[in-house]
Amino acid sequence: MRSVLTILFVLFCTAAAFAQTAKLTGTVKERGSNQFLPLAHITVLPDSVSTVTNNNGVFTITLPTGNKTVVISYVGYTTNEQRVKLTRDVSLDFSLQPAVNELQEVIINSDRFSNEDLLKSTRSSTNRLSRDDIGGIPVLGGEADVIKTLQLLPGTVRGVEGSSDLFVRGGAADQNLVLLDGATVYNTSHLFGFLSVFNPDVVSDVESINGAFPAQYGGRLSSILNVNTRNVIPDRTHASADIGLIASRLFIEQPLVKNKASIWLSGRRTYIDQVAKTVKLDLPYYFYDLNGKILLSPTRRDNIQIGYYSGDDRLDYLRDRNGDGIGQTTGYHSGNNSQTIHWDHT
């Protein structure tokens, strides 16, 4: 009799244990359209049991009875939480509201010069040289030379050894556009091609463009060489002089109005003809360069530059040898002369 009671007690406890679970069946739809949402994610707390809906938006899950929190989530919809008291099998309908995410406003600030600066910084086949770069290259006679420095860059081939001709990417020397403060320089050399016309004392920076020319430089086949002279108003008077083996130089800059106006002048001349006279030799050749610029800054947004350049090579190769005034004087003359005015308003 005692054995029978024990078996009945076990069967009763087992049936009671099975009676403590229930099935939760539900459907998940979109609120408003009642469209079923497949693969919606369902999590039941505190049991931490999860499942997903099928292609018809239906799910079934077996859970222990008790108070439950059903969390339904779906991408692009707001999360829905619903409390359920689960004592028996239950079938429920859940609906989700489409989520509306309001984005913050996007503010784009742009500087009108930023695109131009970006193009300059990424322009291909462009080389920039500062005054220090030019002065750091030793050249003929101790004279720092812009063009001889450029001859060392990739894509450029020098002509006759020691000459100041540029042959860029197979082009001829006369296919280069050479600019001095925006003015075209047609004859770029002195001393029969061994020295360029650019006085290193006044050069600020040099831009060499060997390809992909900007539109304003159209009409040239080989390269663009843009040489800029000093354009900063100094704080005090500055003067320098240099005596070289080939030529001597003098540079003077003077502020006129503090931070408003200044002027600088520079000259260079070969003195080999004068030295030859001291030993009673007649060497009828000399060259010179004369540069000057007036810098004005009347307002914070205005900058005015008035520049001047003159250079010349003179050679008298047939003279009166007898000194009696009878004879012919024939000469060779090759020079440049330019005046530039720049007004920048920013």
Side-chain angles (χ1 to χ4, degrees), residues 48-69:
S48 298
V49 179
S50 301
T51 187
V52 295
T53 59
N54 58 20
N55 292 333
N56 296 321
V58 180
F59 71 91
T60 300
I61 187 169
T62 301
L63 300 165
T65 58
N67 294 326
K68 309 295 180 181
T69 300

Side-chain angles (χ1 to χ4, degrees), residues 319-328:
R319 289 186 175 181
D320 177 17
R321 301 301 181 184
N322 299 323
D324 55 4
I326 301 174
Q328 184 181 8

Side-chain angles (χ1 to χ4, degrees), residues 26-44:
T27 59
V28 180
K29 301 179 181 180
E30 180 185 76
R31 185 175 300 174
S33 66
N34 290 327
Q35 179 180 356
F36 292 106
L37 299 178
L39 302 178
H41 191 267
I42 294 92
T43 302
V44 181

Side-chain angles (χ1 to χ4, degrees), residues 296-312:
L296 302 174
S297 181
T299 67
R300 292 183 178 179
R301 302 180 60 185
D302 293 286
N303 292 287
I304 302 173
Q305 302 178 24
I306 304 174
Y308 174 80
Y309 167 69
S310 177
D312 201 1

Side-chain angles (χ1 to χ4, degrees), residues 4-18:
V4 174
L5 293 175
T6 302
I7 293 172
L8 292 175
F9 178 76
V10 171
L11 293 174
F12 176 79
C13 292
T14 304
F18 279 107

